[in-house]
Amino acid sequence: MIGQQAIMDAYLCLLHLTAGILVESLFNAFATAAFFKFVVFSIFEMRYLLAIWKASRPLNSGEGWEIMRRELSVLYSRFYGILLGGILLMYELHNFLRPLLFLMYSFWIPQIVTNVIRDTRKPLHPQYILGMTATRVAIPLYIFGCPSNFMRIEPDKKWCIAVTAFMGIQAAVLLLQHYLGSRCFIPRQILPEKYCYHRKVEDSTNQPIDCVICMTTIDLSQRTSEYMVAPCEHIFHSGCLQRWMDIKMECPTCRRSLP
């Protein structure tokens, strides 16, 4: 999802530069916008993409720098390959620009699918979802909806309504996943069995168990909602592990992946 948005910002950077060349009186304004778009996709979004890539990789202390460098090269090659391929595709299929843009504005769908597959807990903030949806849809609405747009493109109200509704549905699904759960709209009959973190632990040794996150003792005599048991049998306070899982889905003790 972040990669798709970075590609969109790269296209918008090129669009602003092209518009500045075509409309000389507005060159400074479009060049400034293009510069900020370039900064956004080349620095901030790429760094965010790298952070996600790093967090999703399994921890392997014996891994050499050559392997990491090779994987980074593949990541950058894919990004810029898709970027250049998209430019060529839009050039060859310029008569089908609207369907291509419609496809491009499905960037929330990979996040929705990922949430369902991984049962992600509140992956995106609602303000981010609404803000990105509104700002992303503003430019195509101006180009294809404003009768006096500088590109002199004939307005297409039906397409504008369709893309707005499409983006609105995607944002609504993400908000439902945020408030009701990632799989709230999936029938329970077809869902895979979900691992239960809140299960009873029998303490036969009577020795205190410490939470390695907050370094305080866990009272196993309390309700099971007060502590969580990972598949690797390590035990943590519920609040501690939930905050940890918001950052990284791996056991704080043994680094095994968490479901």
Side-chain angles (χ1 to χ4, degrees):
M1 185 267 294
I2 295 298
Q4 191 172 351
Q5 293 200 31
I7 291 173
M8 289 179 65
D9 283 324
Y11 290 150
L12 289 174
C13 175
L14 295 175
L15 177 64
H16 281 91
L17 281 176
T18 305
I21 294 172
L22 295 176
V23 186
E24 294 184 3
S25 59
L26 298 176
F27 177 79
N28 290 337
F30 281 117
T32 303
F35 171 75
F36 283 111
K37 282 293 181 183
F38 176 78
V39 171
V40 167
F41 93 83
S42 64
I43 298 178
F44 295 106
E45 287 177 332
M46 289 304 296
R47 289 189 64 181
Y48 191 20
L49 195 62
L50 287 175
I52 295 174
W53 169 80
K54 185 177 179 181
S56 62
R57 294 175 68 253
L59 187 65
N60 188 355
S61 57
E63 190 176 70
W65 168 246
E66 283 297 323
I67 297 177
M68 292 184 62
R69 189 168 64 86
R70 194 179 305 118
E71 291 183 2
L72 282 173
S73 299
V74 171
L75 180 67
Y76 277 102
S77 299
R78 287 179 179 176
F79 175 81
Y80 288 106
I82 294 173
L83 179 63
L84 294 175
I87 294 174
L88 295 175
L89 185 65
M90 285 190 289
Y91 177 77
E92 292 293 332
L93 303 177
H94 61 276
N95 292 328
F96 303 95
L97 183 60
R98 286 177 175 82
L100 288 176
L101 287 175
F102 204 84
L103 180 64
M104 187 181 297
Y105 275 81
S106 63
F107 58 84
W108 286 133
I109 292 179
Q111 183 65 52
I112 294 172
V113 175
T114 302
N115 293 346
V116 173
I117 294 174
R118 299 182 179 178
D119 195 17
T120 311
R121 298 173 54 256
K122 299 182 179 181
L124 300 174
H125 197 280
Q127 292 181 0
Y128 175 79
I129 296 171
L130 295 175
M132 288 300 296
T133 301
T135 53
R136 290 295 185 192
V137 81
I139 292 179
L141 288 183
Y142 167 75
I143 294 176
F144 295 102
C146 181
S148 56
N149 66 84
F150 72 93
M151 298 182 70
R152 299 178 182 178
I153 296 177
E154 288 294 326
D156 189 345
K157 292 184 179 180
K158 291 183 179 179
W159 188 87
C160 292
I161 293 173
V163 74
T164 303
F166 184 52
M167 290 291 295
I169 291 172
Q170 293 179 68
V173 172
L174 281 173
L175 291 174
L176 285 175
Q177 289 183 322
H178 179 86
Y179 291 109
L180 302 179
S182 299
R183 300 175 175 178
C184 60
F185 53 88
I186 306 295
R188 292 185 178 181
Q189 292 80 3
I190 64 175
L191 285 176
E193 186 177 352
K194 187 177 178 181
Y195 176 78
C196 180
Y197 283 94
H198 299 284
R199 52 190 174 90
K200 186 66 177 176
V201 176
E202 298 295 336
D203 186 13
S204 58
T205 61
N206 293 324
Q207 294 182 353
I209 299 176
D210 293 336
C211 173
V212 300
I213 300 175
C214 65
M215 303 305 294
T216 58
T217 303
I218 302 172
D219 187 0
L220 297 179
S221 63
Q222 294 181 336
R223 295 177 301 174
T224 55
S225 60
E226 298 296 325
Y227 59 87
M228 298 173 69
V229 185
C232 49
E233 301 300 328
H234 293 120
I235 307 173
F236 313 91
H237 289 119
S238 294
C240 296
L241 187 59
Q242 286 173 358
R243 287 190 294 271
W244 176 275
M245 291 166 67
D246 287 338
I247 300 173
K248 203 159 191 178
M249 291 296 293
E250 63 179 26
C251 175
T253 303
C254 64
R255 304 299 180 182
R256 284 181 58 184
S257 297
L258 296 176

